[in-house]
Amino acid sequence: MTAPTGAFFPGGAILLALTILGFGAFFWRAWRLYRFLRLGRPEARLDHPWLRLRDELVIYLGQRKLLKRPYYARGLAHAFIFWGFLVITIGTVDLLANGIAGFHLPGAGSAVFAWTIDIFAVLVLGSIAIALIRRIFFAPPRMHVALDGYVILGLIAILMITLLVFEGAGLAAGNLEKGYTPPPLAGLFLRSSVFPGESSAVVFYWAWWLHLVTVLAFAAYLPQSKHLHIVTTLPNVFFRKQTPRGALGLIDDIENKETFGAATIRDFSWKQLLDGYTCTECGRCSDNCPALATGKPLDPQKIVLDVRDQLLAEGRALLKDPKAATKPPAHWVESKPEELWACTTCAACVEACPVTIEHIDKIVDMRRHLTLMEGAAPPEAQRAMTNIERSGNPWGEPRDTRGDWAKELGVPTFAENPDAEYLYFVGCAASVDRRNQRVARALVAILRAANVSFAILGTEETCNGDPARRIGNEYLWQLQAQQNIATFSKYGVKKVIASCPHCFNTIANEYPQLGGSYEVLHALQLVDRLLGERKLRIGSDGQEIVAYHDPCYLGRHNRIYDQPRAVLDALPGIQRAEIAPHHRERGFCCGAGGGRMWMEEKVGERVNHRRIDQLLAAKTGATKVASGCPFCLIMLEEGVGAKGVQEQVRPVDVLELVAGRLQN
Ligand code: SF4
Ligand code: SF4
């Protein structure tokens, strides 16, 4: 790194004053923003410290979430700006230290350091050029392109150019301290022929000052801008959720609470508020949202930015008077309730976000306010909750018929076979929906073929509570969960199998919040294991191509992508197909999650119809589309019917394909 010769030292006092001004402005604003954050409710985010450190290395420094399909190219450009920024920050500290106090950071004169700074300066400049071209000519539709972004990019570009110029000119002027490694790339670009004679010393002088003044202007501007993520990504990644993605936060001591959900901006946790500061406005979440893609008023990016904007708008008044009036976030804009009810909680936004923002928790917190404080859930959702309350299932089928499907099969209940190893938690769909009862029968056949010891709860089982919780009725969820947990305890249940990903997710990830911890397997995980242990003999049932549809609560929420595929691959005659590019992490929701199964879908295109379009567009030649979720099955069946392709491609559950090929 080129160092000032010390001739600047008389200017050190000016530089010191400017540094105090620049960083003073930074810290003054940062302190205010920090105090705004503290308006949020407390939330413990210091569990799993080693995982948090790993995330800093992998997600923050390694930029893993930025470098994902289909964003590799633009992700790489942004990653170079980020990495370059980090490296050049070290160089800047060295420049300031030398300019103000006349000393260098250890190692700042080494060849490695000189090369690193130079290479990154060039890479950052190239990446900025790409970013500018993209913003001006090819801006992705969901990306916010504002003046603010250009100012930030412009300042970084000035930093890089002045760095290269003062390094090159310094080299030409012989302005290097003894022992310093010449800046290699800057030297290549700016040989003495560019700034002959004495002019190189003048250029060096002014470029050096312009560089440092730009650094300080950048520091002063940054916290005023909407690009706070440059600073807040580091803590946002560190404090990200380490509990399972599929687990919503518990409202504890609910009986004694007077308000529920996000009634004011202060009801969001400090971490939820930090998410708002951290949004880069890249639009990736919106790109992947099935609700937005099908014309609903929901835009996950806007959900996050509205929280930020409300905090910035109301924060100052709340600091003065904690009881100052604040608007309920669920009504921050007039369309907000419609936005919130459109969410399927599919987690495509959470998966896509490069800076680990958690959208669903905010949406559900606002739904909790609408449902529990205002009684403003959509009427169909309200009906589903009343059905759960009265009948133990959202369809409203009589509670005492819940185990009827199993009677003709002679499946024992736990009351009849208390020594069973596994509880098969059937779930509402497979208990009361005729189509899904066939899936439950298929699982029974598989378990029996493999001699698995299991029993069901029959009429003692009630809804796991997932729809109620995601509609925002935490109270009803807790009642359902406590009832099931009490029944599990009564029979000493330790291992649970669920054929429904929503039951699986809730029992595995959310029941522990109420003290119910079990070994929980989705049925396809167990079948994969049984196949591996050669406990199932499988024959062929002819050749066919089967496309696999990833259920959100199996895939993105619980990262179970491979086991269902392994089961399909183990079936002779079946050729598995992928619904590319909308598969695995980028799988497209069926439209039924988040309680949407029981809500009408009147705005835009139906999500499940779009899914069938994607299936057909993938041209897989599949005659079946297989999934591992009862809600997906219902939605896919409706979708193929509505599109008139039910003869061409038939929705099935993977369990049915296995059961149909059993030979033992
Ligand atoms: S969870 Fe799914 S539906 Fe809801 S905002 Fe995110 S991407 Fe959209
Ligand atoms: S929430 Fe995340 S993915 Fe969405 S715009 Fe903000 S940074 Fe991008």
Side-chain angles (χ1 to χ4, degrees):
M1 178 68 188
T2 310
T5 59
F8 290 87
F9 207 57
I14 299 172
L15 186 56
L16 177 63
L18 289 175
T19 304
I20 291 170
L21 265 179
F23 284 103
F26 175 89
F27 284 113
W28 178 81
R29 176 69 179 164
W31 175 243
R32 165 155 288 176
L33 293 174
Y34 170 72
R35 289 177 68 214
F36 285 180
L37 278 192
R38 296 197 49 171
L39 290 166
R41 69 176 157 80
E43 186 183 10
R45 289 283 178 130
L46 286 172
D47 54 316
H48 303 92
W50 291 111
L51 290 181
R52 295 184 186 283
L53 287 175
R54 180 207 61 186
D55 285 347
E56 287 299 333
L57 289 176
V58 176
I59 298 176
Y60 180 68
L61 287 178
Q63 298 279 287
R64 193 200 64 192
K65 288 202 84 191
L66 198 72
L67 300 169
K68 287 182 87 168
R69 71 180 172 115
Y71 305 105
Y72 289 120
R74 63 166 127 147
L76 200 60
H78 190 282
F80 277 130
I81 296 177
F82 166 77
W83 290 323
F85 201 80
L86 286 187
V87 171
I88 284 152
T89 298
I90 301 171
T92 301
V93 172
D94 178 66
L95 284 176
L96 286 172
N98 189 39
I100 294 169
F103 72 87
H104 287 288
L105 297 183
S110 69
V112 173
F113 194 66
W115 270 103
T116 309
I117 293 264
D118 258 24
I119 289 170
F120 273 107
V122 174
L123 284 174
V124 170
L125 264 183
S127 301
I128 285 176
I130 292 170
L132 283 173
I133 291 168
R134 204 176 113 246
R135 274 172 179 260
I136 296 167
F137 300 109
F138 312 103
R142 316 285 185 213
M143 186 183 196
H144 279 204
V145 182
L147 180 65
D148 207 32
Y150 289 108
V151 172
I152 294 283
L153 284 176
L155 285 171
I156 299 175
I158 293 172
L159 282 178
M160 299 307 123
I161 292 167
T162 50
L163 175 74
L164 289 170
V165 168
F166 86 72
E167 278 193 331
L171 184 65
N175 230 353
L176 292 173
E177 286 174 11
K178 216 174 164 196
Y180 258 75
T181 306
L185 289 177
L188 269 184
F189 289 119
L190 297 158
R191 284 282 167 210
S192 52
S193 56
V194 181
F195 302 117
E198 289 189 355
S199 69
S200 53
V202 176
V203 170
F204 172 56
Y205 179 89
W206 287 111
W208 188 90
W209 270 107
L210 183 57
H211 180 77
L212 284 178
V213 168
T214 308
V215 166
L216 299 172
F218 188 85
Y221 178 72
L222 186 60
Q224 316 289 334
S225 79
K226 295 196 169 169
H227 286 259
L228 289 165
H229 71 275
I230 294 172
V231 176
T232 56
T233 300
L234 184 121
N236 209 57
V237 169
F238 185 80
F239 293 119
R240 86 187 186 115
K241 191 170 171 175
Q242 293 294 348
T243 47
R245 179 182 280 172
L248 292 172
L250 179 76
I251 301 182
D252 53 8
D253 193 22
I254 195 166
E255 298 287 351
N256 295 313
K257 287 270 185 321
E258 287 176 5
T259 59
F260 305 96
T264 77
I265 194 75
R266 301 194 61 168
D267 294 320
F268 286 117
S269 75
W270 62 269
K271 172 61 177 65
Q272 289 176 322
L273 300 178
L274 181 64
D275 276 354
Y277 289 168
T278 310
C279 179
T280 67
E281 305 188 12
C282 67
R284 288 187 185 198
C285 53
S286 312
D287 277 350
N288 289 278
C289 175
L292 182 60
T294 53
K296 313 295 186 296
L298 171 63
D299 178 345
Q301 175 176 212
K302 184 173 171 298
I303 294 284
V304 177
L305 296 180
D306 279 355
V307 170
R308 177 194 70 187
D309 292 346
Q310 186 175 359
L311 180 65
L312 295 179
E314 295 180 345
R316 198 185 290 214
L318 284 169
L319 282 180
K320 277 195 196 133
D321 173 10
K323 294 208 172 105
T326 102
K327 209 168 177 178
H331 295 290
W332 178 242
V333 289
E334 208 180 316
S335 62
K336 187 62 86 179
E338 286 72 41
E339 294 176 29
L340 300 173
W341 294 120
C343 178
T344 67
T345 68
C346 71
C349 49
V350 182
E351 179 70 39
C353 181
V355 291
T356 69
I357 283 170
E358 294 147 10
H359 308 67
I360 296 174
D361 307 66
K362 294 177 197 57
I363 291 172
V364 172
D365 274 350
M366 287 186 269
R367 282 185 175 187
R368 283 173 173 170
H369 170 77
L370 290 174
T371 299
L372 292 174
M373 301 287 290
E374 298 183 11
E380 324 88 75
Q382 191 56 55
R383 209 171 309 125
M385 289 187 289
T386 307
N387 286 337
I388 293 173
E389 235 173 301
R390 289 193 187 143
S391 315
N393 67 81
W395 279 274
E397 294 297 323
R399 196 184 287 271
D400 58 6
T401 62
R402 193 169 179 109
D404 285 1
W405 67 274
K407 282 184 183 155
E408 67 195 47
L409 298 176
V411 178
T413 62
F414 253 93
E416 292 158 351
N417 180 13
D419 296 328
E421 182 183 0
Y422 286 97
L423 161 66
Y424 170 26
F425 189 92
V426 182
C428 300
S431 294
V432 306
D433 173 63
R434 281 179 183 279
R435 175 66 187 88
N436 275 292
Q437 285 174 353
R438 280 163 37 199
V439 179
R441 289 192 192 99
L443 179 57
V444 167
I446 295 167
L447 296 176
R448 283 181 167 161
N451 282 324
V452 174
S453 158
F454 73 100
I456 61 172
L457 291 175
T459 54
E460 288 189 271
E461 181 184 289
T462 189
C463 176
N464 72 70
D466 156 276
R469 194 173 213 199
R470 277 146 189 86
I471 287 169
N473 194 336
E474 175 75 3
Y475 191 78
L476 182 55
W477 173 74
Q478 291 198 13
L479 282 179
Q480 298 300 304
Q482 280 158 351
Q483 190 177 328
N484 278 322
I485 290 169
T487 311
F488 293 3
S489 299
K490 176 173 144 191
Y491 293 114
V493 169
K494 293 195 172 51
K495 298 181 183 177
V496 182
I497 311 164
S499 48
C500 166
H502 297 264
C503 299
F504 165 76
N505 178 68
T506 306
I507 299 171
N509 298 328
E510 297 188 326
Y511 279 17
Q513 296 172 350
L514 296 175
S517 293
Y518 316 96
E519 181 188 326
V520 190
L521 288 172
H522 183 269
L524 290 175
Q525 291 180 295
L526 181 63
V527 172
D528 181 44
R529 188 201 287 174
L530 295 173
L531 286 167
E533 291 168 353
R534 301 189 186 285
K535 290 189 175 161
L536 294 171
R537 281 195 293 122
I538 305 287
S540 177
D541 189 25
Q543 303 287 319
E544 59 185 337
I545 301 174
V546 177
Y548 180 66
H549 161 85
D550 286 282
C552 303
Y553 275 80
L554 211 51
R556 274 188 298 268
H557 278 288
N558 286 289
R559 296 190 172 82
I560 299 173
Y561 297 110
D562 294 330
Q563 287 150 316
R565 286 174 167 79
V567 171
L568 278 176
D569 292 346
L571 302 181
I574 284 189
Q575 184 189 328
R576 173 170 55 85
E578 296 287 334
I579 311 175
H582 301 286
H583 62 143
R584 297 185 69 92
E585 291 86 352
R586 292 197 64 216
F588 197 83
C589 181
C590 73
R596 293 280 333 157
M597 179 82 188
W598 294 276
M599 293 184 224
E600 288 180 18
E601 196 175 342
K602 292 180 193 151
V603 180
E605 184 188 357
R606 284 182 63 95
V607 173
N608 57 332
H609 294 182
R610 175 66 66 90
R611 186 56 174 155
I612 299 301
D613 285 344
Q614 291 172 349
L615 169 65
L616 299 175
K619 296 196 188 317
T620 57
T623 50
K624 287 185 180 140
V625 53
S627 188
C629 172
F631 294 174
C632 293
L633 186 54
I634 292 170
M635 297 307 257
L636 293 171
E637 290 229 311
E638 197 282 336
V640 294
K643 293 276 169 186
V645 292
Q646 62 272 43
E647 302 301 325
Q648 187 182 328
V649 56
R650 190 157 66 82
V652 291
D653 193 290
V654 178
L655 293 171
E656 294 178 291
L657 297 175
V658 177
R661 287 164 174 75
L662 283 175
Q663 291 195 328
N664 55 342

